[in-house]
Amino acid sequence: MGYFTGGVFEGLRSYATITLHETHLVSPTSGEPQHLELLGCGRPLAGDEDGPFPGVLEWVAERLATTGRAVLRGEVVSLPMPLTPDGSMTPLYAAMPVYFDDDFLSVTLENGTNVSVVWLVPIHGAEAEYVAKNGWPAFEDELRKQDPDLFDPSAHI
């Protein structure tokens, strides 16, 4: 697991898988091989400096490796446990890492393999229902319109 601090967002902690790209995953829509790494970001909570993301990314990566199915942009991943103390955030939304430099969207390895970075953003159940009903493009349009702080669980649409 990679751990990042010191970026442009004060107090933010970012975690990323670093070997998931070696796992054979397949796109559920095209059947093509996919090479992914997962990213999770949040601000530390009092008493839990690391937050939930190290364990969450490990759980999602293990699930992907077990099923062999890649997670694609716009998909919602349901966790078996809530991410927030109030229990309101159980789903994760698979997004492009839009708060990061464009070069962070994917990386080409020395062997020519293209690895996509999938940012797993915690969302509320109502937001997951919105994605299911209206599709991910409509959800991302709402995010652009409302411009919430995606690192603050209380600021979502």
Side-chain angles (χ1 to χ4, degrees):
M1 186 78 49
Y3 166 67
F4 312 93
T5 60
V8 297
F9 297 99
E10 188 174 329
L12 188 69
R13 291 180 180 229
S14 299
Y15 297 89
T17 58
I18 53 175
T19 58
L20 181 60
H21 72 274
E22 298 170 355
T23 303
H24 178 74
L25 300 175
V26 177
S27 166
T29 56
S30 71
E32 295 292 318
Q34 299 288 303
H35 301 278
L36 307 176
E37 294 297 347
L38 305 174
L39 174 69
C41 309
R43 292 188 176 90
L45 302 172
D48 187 9
E49 293 301 307
D50 289 329
F53 281 109
V56 166
L57 294 180
E58 185 177 314
W59 184 86
V60 174
E62 184 176 309
R63 179 176 168 220
L64 297 179
T66 300
T67 64
R69 183 189 180 285
V71 62
L72 303 179
R73 175 183 182 190
E75 287 190 62
V76 174
V77 177
S78 294
L79 297 175
M81 70 301 227
L83 288 171
T84 53
D86 68 0
S88 67
M89 300 186 103
T90 301
L92 299 170
Y93 180 75
M96 295 179 4
V98 295
Y99 286 168
F100 294 82
D101 294 334
D102 288 345
D103 291 341
F104 205 79
L105 296 174
S106 67
V107 63
T108 302
L109 303 179
E110 290 176 2
N111 67 3
T113 301
N114 187 44
V115 179
S116 298
V117 177
V118 177
W119 179 21
L120 296 177
V121 180
I123 60 174
H124 295 281
E127 292 169 314
E129 290 172 16
Y130 185 93
V131 173
K133 181 180 177 184
N134 300 294
W136 68 264
F139 180 64
E140 291 190 7
D141 285 345
E142 283 300 316
L143 291 176
R144 277 188 285 282
K145 287 178 195 171
Q146 296 185 28
D147 194 27
D149 177 354
L150 295 178
F151 304 126
D152 179 359
S154 66
H156 287 244
I157 65 169

